[in-house]
Amino acid sequence: MSSSWGKSFHLSIYGESHGAGIGVVIDGVPAGLPLDLEQVAVFMRRRAPGQNRASTARKEADQPEILSGFHNGYTTGTPLGALIRNADTHSSDYSELAATARPGHADYTGFVRYGGFGDVRGGGHFSGRLTAPLCFAGAVAIQLLARSGILIGAHAARIAGIADTAFEPVALDPQTLLYPASQPFPTLDEQAGAQMLAAIESARMVQDSVGGVVECAVLGLPAGIGSPMFDGLENVIASLVFGIPAVKGIEFGAGFAAAELRGSQNNDPFCIKDGQICTTSNYAGGILGGISSGMPVLLRVAFKPTPSIAQPQQTVDFRQGCEKTLSIHGRHDPCVVVRAVPVVEAAVAIAVVDAILSQAPALLESQ
């Protein structure tokens, strides 16, 4: 099934944007995890809509109702199920879109794939709204990893061409890693964040949108996690990250910039520091041959501009077979990057947990 993912930490996401609710069932959560629901709520609020002008005006509490797998403050080891009810739906905004292909959206491809039976309201199952249950699963994974000293953080690295301070690839510390999550706008440089907000507002005022890049890092992951070829750590992370709507690219370490380097520049020299094997640089992004090296795992994820814009756009009516002009109304993010920061963290956390449980489950045993 396309909406299920994972081997040892298996999740299945269900629901539509304007249905009664959305949710996730997670199979493989170890028993005995003291799940802090307040931390879960704090994490979910970072993704929730309607918090500022950089996001949609839709108001959703995104309060997960845990239906199974949790009792007396601890996970039970059975499937952990959570439901997030939809409240602020304006389905009438989509009444004219049942046969109209919104440029940049999956309306036409979804119509062809499911024979016209899909729920088009709010994008249905294709909507970014489905990242809410992904964030719940990520919040669980983050708490599971933290018990073993494995930390994950991200920030808005670039929006509308405006760059934030990059994560230090070798000596990244936990305080810097987690700092953006504590800020109203998820950047390391407050001035860069203000400039990004201004660029987003400028696009919104002319009924347009902007895209950007989220940078994410993992600290504390020991060497040896992952496999070569088709089960590499990069493969596992990328497969889940590409499930986030609007993602168009991912790179690890130097990424595409490595293509412009020589081997003498791109190779990370090994050394011994404080009795541990490490590298003096980290162009590899903490992964060699699909296996973690013990250095910070570093990746960047590219997001396209929000396709829902109010400017007139050329499109077609795919039922009538005719061309038409479309102006999209409703409530949409002028930039998805801001709310996507915790979503990327969630996806990376889930992928890392699945890789560890598939290979070295003792690493995540109760501390």
Side-chain angles (χ1 to χ4, degrees), residues 153-158 163-168 172-183 185-194 196 215 217 298 341:
H155 67 119
R158 191 164 65 252
D164 186 25
T165 302
F167 280 151
E168 214 294 323
L172 179 62
D173 61 90
Q175 292 73 28
T176 302
L177 176 75
L178 302 177
Y179 176 79
S182 67
Q183 301 305 298
F185 196 88
T187 54
L188 294 170
D189 183 333
E190 184 178 342
Q191 184 176 359
M196 290 177 186
E215 183 177 49
L298 191 65
V341 170

Side-chain angles (χ1 to χ4, degrees), residues 9 11 28 61 101-102 106-108 136 174 179 187 192 195 218 234 237 243 264 270 291 312 326 339-340 344 346 357:
F9 193 79
L11 56 143
R102 291 174 296 169
D107 302 322
Y108 172 65
F136 172 80
Y179 176 79
T187 54
Q195 292 173 347
V218 184
E234 291 143 318
I237 292 173
S264 57
F270 282 97
I291 302 169
L326 171 69
R339 292 171 59 209
V344 171
L357 290 178

Side-chain angles (χ1 to χ4, degrees), residues 53-56 200-201 203-204 208-211 305-306 308 332-336:
R53 288 188 175 182
S55 72
T56 171
I200 294 170
E201 178 65 7
R204 188 183 72 85
D208 214 335
S209 62
V210 295
T306 312
S308 292
H332 308 284
D333 296 78
C335 177
V336 301

Side-chain angles (χ1 to χ4, degrees), residues 23-337:
V24 62
V25 177
I26 315 168
D27 202 356
V29 181
L33 172 64
L35 192 59
D36 187 327
L37 298 184
E38 178 54 34
Q39 286 188 20
V40 171
V42 169
F43 188 80
M44 298 286 290
R45 280 197 293 271
R46 291 173 56 205
R47 192 224 70 95
Q51 301 186 65
N52 53 56
R53 288 188 175 182
S55 72
T56 171
R58 181 174 179 175
K59 295 287 187 179
E60 294 286 359
D62 280 0
Q63 181 63 47
E65 301 174 30
I66 299 181
L67 306 179
S68 64
F70 184 71
H71 184 63
N72 288 335
Y74 293 86
T75 55
T76 64
T78 56
L80 180 64
L83 168 67
I84 301 170
R85 298 184 186 276
N86 292 325
D88 188 16
T89 58
H90 290 182
S91 297
S92 60
D93 291 342
Y94 300 88
S95 59
E96 299 180 2
L97 298 177
T100 303
R102 291 174 296 169
H105 279 279
D107 302 322
Y108 172 65
T109 54
F111 172 80
V112 175
R113 172 67 175 82
Y114 296 108
F117 290 99
D119 185 348
V120 301
R121 300 170 303 165
H125 195 68
F126 295 95
S127 172
R129 178 95 185 107
L130 274 295
T131 59
L134 182 68
C135 276
F136 172 80
V140 174
I142 285 170
Q143 292 191 34
L144 186 58
L145 291 169
R147 296 195 303 173
S148 298
I150 301 170
L151 303 176
I152 295 177
H155 67 119
R158 191 164 65 252
I159 290 177
I162 301 162
D164 186 25
T165 302
F167 280 151
E168 214 294 323
V170 174
L172 179 62
D173 61 90
Q175 292 73 28
T176 302
L177 176 75
L178 302 177
Y179 176 79
S182 67
Q183 301 305 298
F185 196 88
T187 54
L188 294 170
D189 183 333
E190 184 178 342
Q191 184 176 359
Q195 292 173 347
M196 290 177 186
L197 266 175
I200 294 170
E201 178 65 7
S202 177
R204 188 183 72 85
M205 293 303 293
V206 295
Q207 301 178 331
D208 214 335
S209 62
V210 295
V213 176
V214 172
E215 183 177 49
C216 183
V218 184
L219 291 184
L221 184 64
I225 301 300
S227 300
M229 296 290 288
F230 308 120
D231 235 0
L233 189 57
E234 291 143 318
N235 310 46
V236 174
I237 292 173
S239 70
L240 191 52
V241 166
F242 270 115
I244 302 171
V247 168
K248 299 303 292 183
I250 184 170
E251 63 178 9
F252 293 82
F256 279 88
E260 309 303 323
L261 302 175
R262 292 189 174 190
S264 57
Q265 298 170 305
N266 187 64
N267 290 344
D268 299 314
F270 282 97
C271 64
I272 303 292
K273 184 177 181 180
D274 300 326
Q276 300 293 320
I277 296 175
C278 57
T279 56
T280 59
S281 57
N282 192 18
Y283 291 105
I287 302 172
L288 291 166
I291 302 169
S292 61
S293 68
M295 297 297 290
V297 172
L298 191 65
L299 60 123
R300 287 169 293 278
V301 182
F303 286 83
K304 69 181 182 181
T306 312
S308 292
I309 58 175
Q311 291 185 16
Q313 299 179 81
Q314 178 63 43
T315 188
V316 298
D317 182 314
F318 47 74
R319 290 185 184 271
Q320 298 296 324
C322 61
E323 295 183 349
K324 62 186 296 186
T325 300
L326 171 69
S327 294
I328 299 174
H329 302 288
R331 303 162 298 170
H332 308 284
D333 296 78
C335 177
V336 301
V337 176

